[in-house]
Amino acid sequence: MDRFVVRRARGPESPRRAGQAPRAYRQATLESLKRVVVVEDIKRWKSMLELPGQPKENLIEALEELKKKIPSKEVLLSTRIGHTVNKMRKHSDHDVASLAKDVYTEWRTFIKDHSNKPSIEVRSDPKTEAFRKNARKLLCEALDLEIDHPLAENIEREAFHLSSRLISAPYRRMVRALVFSLKHKPEIRAEVKTGTLTVPAFVQSHKK
């Protein structure tokens, strides 16, 4: 006896199971790739790790971000980020020290096994760096600290990051607002200098 396959029309609930959401896909960007390194980000996280009095969550955040990247040997040498992460292995907080050890070990292993494979580096142009250096000078003066103090560098790098790494009108407005607050509001200046008010929170509050 011949066999027949009977195909029935799907009901309105048939295409997907009830309650099943459509699968979302996220497109990878160039910067999301592990071997694509934005040197400015490396320096920002380095300044965060080196600034005294940082809360644990800031240190963990910086190390977690660094764990997503594998800097080339050249970047490790020019920024000395490897040296900074290595020092964090001796941090008094177990979680910070353990994460720093993971990052350092992964970098060292990868560089050893893939020393002949270059990474892609993204750097700022000289004009941008000159503008940012002047912004840090103004921040140092507002903080009443010596030129090139790491606190001013940390503040400027955070502002640059929140401005999508662009010397734009929002970046200029933010730097002016930060300088004004530090210069004319002694209580805020004191909180920033003692670490009571963290750099990310301080800068974020001045984002226009």
Side-chain angles (χ1 to χ4, degrees):
M1 183 177 178
D2 293 336
R3 294 182 179 179
F4 296 91
V5 177
V6 179
R7 298 184 183 275
R8 296 184 179 180
R10 291 183 177 181
E13 73 285 347
S14 300
R16 292 192 183 92
R17 294 178 182 175
Q20 183 177 0
R23 183 177 297 178
Y25 294 93
R26 184 179 179 183
Q27 183 176 358
T29 61
L30 185 63
E31 288 185 17
S32 69
L33 301 177
K34 204 171 182 73
R35 290 286 284 162
V36 176
V37 176
V38 179
V39 176
E40 166 57 29
D41 287 343
I42 297 294
K43 291 180 178 179
R44 173 175 166 254
W45 297 321
K46 178 175 183 285
S47 71
M48 189 180 295
L49 292 174
E50 292 181 342
L51 190 65
Q54 287 280 13
K56 176 181 176 178
E57 55 267 26
N58 284 8
L59 299 178
I60 292 292
E61 178 190 356
L63 289 168
E64 288 284 6
E65 292 298 323
L66 287 168
K67 193 172 176 27
K68 298 175 184 177
K69 295 295 180 181
I70 304 264
S72 66
K73 186 176 181 180
E74 290 72 22
V75 171
L76 290 173
L77 290 173
S78 65
T79 63
R80 292 183 60 80
I81 184 63
H83 177 73
T84 300
V85 172
N86 189 31
K87 285 178 64 177
M88 297 301 293
R89 295 165 65 192
K90 300 177 182 178
H91 196 275
S92 57
D93 186 277
H94 172 75
D95 294 335
V96 173
S98 178
L99 184 54
K101 182 180 179 180
D102 290 345
V103 175
Y104 185 81
T105 302
E106 183 178 358
W107 286 359
R108 186 175 61 180
T109 302
F110 189 93
I111 295 299
K112 181 179 178 181
D113 297 340
H114 303 84
S115 58
N116 60 335
K117 293 185 178 181
S119 61
I120 299 175
E121 301 168 19
V122 183
R123 297 178 180 270
S124 299
D125 61 275
K127 186 176 180 180
T128 296
E129 286 302 315
F131 194 99
R132 295 179 63 197
K133 184 175 182 180
N134 185 61
R136 291 174 196 167
K137 179 182 177 183
L138 294 174
L139 288 166
C140 282
E141 293 172 352
L143 286 162
D144 195 23
L145 295 171
E146 66 272 17
I147 299 300
D148 294 331
H149 192 280
L151 178 56
E153 177 188 348
N154 199 247
I155 293 171
E156 189 281 328
R157 290 195 185 280
E158 193 67 26
F160 191 60
H161 172 73
L162 290 179
S163 304
S164 302
R165 296 194 294 266
L166 294 172
I167 300 298
S168 55
Y171 171 82
R172 291 184 174 92
R173 286 196 297 268
M174 195 186 308
V175 169
R176 285 196 295 268
L178 292 168
V179 169
F180 182 87
S181 290
L182 292 170
K183 184 176 289 187
H184 300 289
K185 298 179 180 179
E187 67 284 356
I188 290 181
R189 181 172 65 245
E191 289 180 358
V192 172
K193 292 177 74 170
T194 59
T196 306
L197 177 60
T198 64
V199 169
F202 171 58
V203 178
Q204 181 69 48
S205 68
H206 289 72
K207 186 178 180 180
K208 302 295 184 180

